[in-house]
Amino acid sequence: MLGEYVEASVIGVLVVFNALLGFFQEGRAQAALKSRLPLNAAVLRDSVWQVVQAGELVDGDIVKLTLGSVVAADVRIGQGAVLLDQSLLTGESMPVEAGPGSEALAGALVRRGEAVAEVIATGARTRFGRTAELVRTAKVTSSQQKAVLRVVLYLAGINGTLAVLLIGFAVYIHMPLAEIIPLGLIAILASVPVALPATFTLATAVGAQALGKRGVLPTRLSAVDEAATMNVLCVDKTGTLTCNELAVTAIVSFDGCSEADVVMWARLASSDAGLDPVDGAVRNAMARYQFAAMPTLVAFVPFDPDAKMAEATVLDVHGERWRVVKGAFASVMAMVEPVPAAAVKAAELEAEGFRVLGVAAGAPDALHLVGLIALSDPPRPEARGCIAQLREMGVRVVMVTGDALATAQVIARAVGLSGAAAPAKAIMESVRPEDFAVFAGVLPEDKYDLVKAFQRAGFCVGMCGDGANDAPALRQAQLGIAVSSSTDVAKSAAGIVLTEPGLTGIVSAVTEGRIAFQRILTYTLRSIMHKVRQVTYLSVGPLVTDHAILTPMLVFISMITGDFLAMSSTTDNVRPSAKPNAWRIRDLVLAGVVMGLFDLAFCVAVLLIGKNYLHLDIDSLRTLTLVNLVFSGQAIFYVVRERRHLWSSRPSGIVIASSIADLLIVPTLAVGGMLMAPLPLSVVASVFAGAVVFAFALDAVKAAVFRGLNMQ
């Protein structure tokens, strides 16, 4: 309606792009959740086993769970036994044994064994389905959206009031209607922060581009801003802080054996390949040791869920037959002579959250304990350093895991998380991040509730995870972070995705987010000062000259040139803040108003000099006003781009180029008399010199205001 077609088009395209991006990301999250469910299931119908689509299962169906398959619905096992990997759903790194009477959740992977089970829940009623529903309903308004709205409301309130008073005064002094209408239009143009949304988008887009080069992919531009304001990070354990892979963590030998001997005997009682994670961990541990000669394998019996053991028959180098067993500590100890020291050591390891295996070898009828093997999901090597960096940056880290409390505490100590640990029942509406460092035994809905509880307490919450069980919390958090090994579900629900292994991308995201925040803060503060000064100055103009001090054309020229300079701040060289940022809009507006009034005083002084000492006519005064607004706008920009003194850092090349263009375009038009009344070069140069002096004076005012408001 105002004829600003170019700016309206740019902003419209950006708004539509952001809306479509969010819409498609939400659609992808739902599609990814659905795609995780298996397509087919083996079901007993009419006394015949047949394969049907998972969507056709109903309560009471009898299904078969086999090695390598994914459980199609929540079921209760009736016959047989299986080893289930439920880390995708529960976050538990250790596979669980499930026998008759046990429940298996939809989405779990069968790592070993075979079983027949009854369907007890399908579709949206499964644990997986409830997780999908939480992802669909989770929503939080970004701090950037709130900041834009509050800035616009403040400016509308202040400038709207001034604009009404300005038009009222124009009517009071009987200004011609032909001047009142353009004056009203000018007041509106000067009041609206036209480029504010575009600048927010551009700053975060530049930050997103920088993150892409560092192995971090934002799926929503607002995530860059949220990384700057995040002050609490909830972190899943399995697959996020840990490698999500069983490994031999400790070996305890007995009966004169060495650690290498324990691993050798355990390896003989393990499969050569397959999905069994315990056997895989033992095979990997073999690579640490060298053996001159190993017994020859004669026979191997895979793990028996009932006996809770695997065993092998071997021949040593002398041809003597040996029996080797590996399995649950209690089951192995039942086959050997009591070893009190082993029972004590096993209890200690289990108390630390390890899974303990016993290994025994000897004559077929005279087995003796050779050692213990402790298994765990080890922390990622960079996790401890990453958490330490985040702590230094003012971000509190809280572990949230579905694993047992003892296991969670072990990992917490390993990665440097100190503080109390609590079960899921400690998650209440009033819980705060400083209350606990670890929450264990939590379900997907518990993680979601914890994020909401922290948000209600006023914190900007980040959530880092990798599985479908993390998806609701990832979507609800202001900043959801999916690690590189995450499922499609988690990646679709997150705001940023780490595309490279490790957690260092989180620190990069926070750093780049704070850089983008500082750039946006520069533009916002400059915009507040500019709008407050401009509308107030337009009100003072008729008092001094009895005429509108600017024409719509001059305002348009001022806006276009000034906005390009202001938007160049999205590429400026800035220092990230040491602590989490916060949109303190009231303080920001207060600082802008105080400094804007000093700028107003400078502009009015130039106007009075032009009228009373240079005796310029109204058209020349309008040109003088435009030139003055350009030069003072430059002064404002260079003062507010630095939180310290204006000479503390060097602007970016794009900022310098934009500044030079702004300084050349309008003064050239003014001296040449193009689109405005001509103005002598000496007058233009004098105004520029005055603006330079004003910049240093305003810098001193800024330093005092920033100290008073504790702005960083």
Side-chain angles (χ1 to χ4, degrees), residues 483-503:
V483 298
S484 60
S485 58
S486 296
T487 63
D488 289 342
V489 178
K491 290 177 179 177
S492 297
I496 63 173
V497 177
L498 308 184
T499 59
E500 296 178 0
L503 301 175

Side-chain angles (χ1 to χ4, degrees), residues 359-374:
V359 182
D365 56 352
L367 290 173
H368 60 273
L369 184 71
V370 297
L372 306 177
I373 289 180

Side-chain angles (χ1 to χ4, degrees), residues 556-631:
F556 178 76
I557 294 173
S558 174
M559 288 177 61
I560 292 297
T561 57
D563 280 348
F564 274 110
L565 172 62
M567 292 177 71
S568 72
S569 63
T570 59
T571 68
D572 200 7
N573 298 323
V574 298
R575 289 181 303 274
S577 53
K579 299 298 179 182
N581 297 116
W583 280 107
R584 296 160 51 191
I585 301 299
R586 184 169 298 176
D587 289 345
L588 198 61
V589 171
L590 180 58
V593 169
V594 171
M595 290 189 287
L597 292 176
F598 276 88
D599 184 28
L600 173 66
F602 172 72
C603 292
V604 171
V606 171
L607 177 63
L608 291 174
I609 291 173
K611 180 178 184 296
N612 298 325
Y613 292 94
L614 299 180
H615 304 293
L616 299 177
D617 59 34
I618 184 60
D619 290 330
S620 297
L621 284 175
R622 286 169 175 163
T623 304
L624 177 66
T625 293
L626 177 62
V627 171
N628 189 26
L629 291 178
V630 169
F631 289 155

Side-chain angles (χ1 to χ4, degrees), residues 27-99:
R28 283 179 56 197
Q30 297 305 310
L33 274 168
K34 294 176 181 178
S35 69
R36 283 297 304 170
L37 291 175
L39 296 178
N40 301 311
V43 60
L44 186 63
R45 296 274 175 85
D46 299 325
S47 302
V48 177
W49 287 104
Q50 52 187 285
V51 177
V52 302
Q53 290 188 351
E56 297 179 14
L57 293 177
V58 297
D59 290 2
D61 270 341
I62 303 299
V63 297
K64 183 175 290 187
L65 309 181
T66 56
L67 175 66
S69 65
V70 178
V71 182
D74 287 357
V75 300
R76 181 177 293 108
I77 296 175
Q79 301 174 11
V82 289
L83 181 69
L84 296 174
D85 179 354
Q86 299 187 136
S87 60
L88 176 71
L89 302 161
T90 65
E92 297 176 2
S93 55
M94 297 287 188
V96 297
E97 300 284 352

Side-chain angles (χ1 to χ4, degrees), residues 460-673:
C460 182
V461 184
M463 173 69 200
C464 183
D466 71 322
N469 62 312
D470 302 312
L474 288 170
R475 176 57 63 87
Q476 177 62 34
Q478 277 97 342
L479 179 65
I481 305 169
V483 298
S484 60
S485 58
S486 296
T487 63
D488 289 342
V489 178
K491 290 177 179 177
S492 297
I496 63 173
V497 177
L498 308 184
T499 59
E500 296 178 0
L503 301 175
T504 54
I506 300 177
V507 177
S508 298
V510 172
T511 301
E512 286 296 333
R514 293 181 183 181
I515 289 174
F517 183 94
Q518 292 299 325
R519 291 168 174 167
I520 295 172
L521 188 65
T522 293
Y523 176 84
T524 306
L525 185 56
R526 180 259 179 199
S527 182
I528 293 171
M529 291 178 61
H530 182 75
K531 298 304 179 184
V532 168
R533 177 259 288 163
Q534 189 138 315
V535 176
T536 310
Y537 184 62
L538 289 174
S539 302
V540 173
L543 291 175
V544 176
T545 66
D546 291 332
H547 297 280
I549 200 61
L550 286 174
T551 65
M553 173 59 75
L554 296 182
V555 171
F556 178 76
I557 294 173
S558 174
M559 288 177 61
I560 292 297
T561 57
D563 280 348
F564 274 110
L565 172 62
M567 292 177 71
S568 72
S569 63
T570 59
T571 68
D572 200 7
N573 298 323
V574 298
R575 289 181 303 274
S577 53
K579 299 298 179 182
N581 297 116
W583 280 107
R584 296 160 51 191
I585 301 299
R586 184 169 298 176
D587 289 345
L588 198 61
V589 171
L590 180 58
V593 169
V594 171
M595 290 189 287
L597 292 176
F598 276 88
D599 184 28
L600 173 66
F602 172 72
C603 292
V604 171
V606 171
L607 177 63
L608 291 174
I609 291 173
K611 180 178 184 296
N612 298 325
Y613 292 94
L614 299 180
H615 304 293
L616 299 177
D617 59 34
I618 184 60
D619 290 330
S620 297
L621 284 175
R622 286 169 175 163
T623 304
L624 177 66
T625 293
L626 177 62
V627 171
N628 189 26
L629 291 178
V630 169
F631 289 155
S632 69
Q634 291 271 342
I636 289 173
F637 178 83
Y638 282 99
V639 168
V640 301
R641 66 170 292 272
E642 256 293 346
R643 308 299 165 253
R644 298 182 295 181
H645 290 297
L646 63 87
W647 58 83
S648 299
S649 65
R650 180 182 180 277
S652 69
I654 294 178
V655 167
I656 293 174
S658 299
S659 183
I660 292 174
D662 190 34
L663 288 172
L664 289 178
I665 293 173
V666 173
T668 300
L669 293 176
V671 173

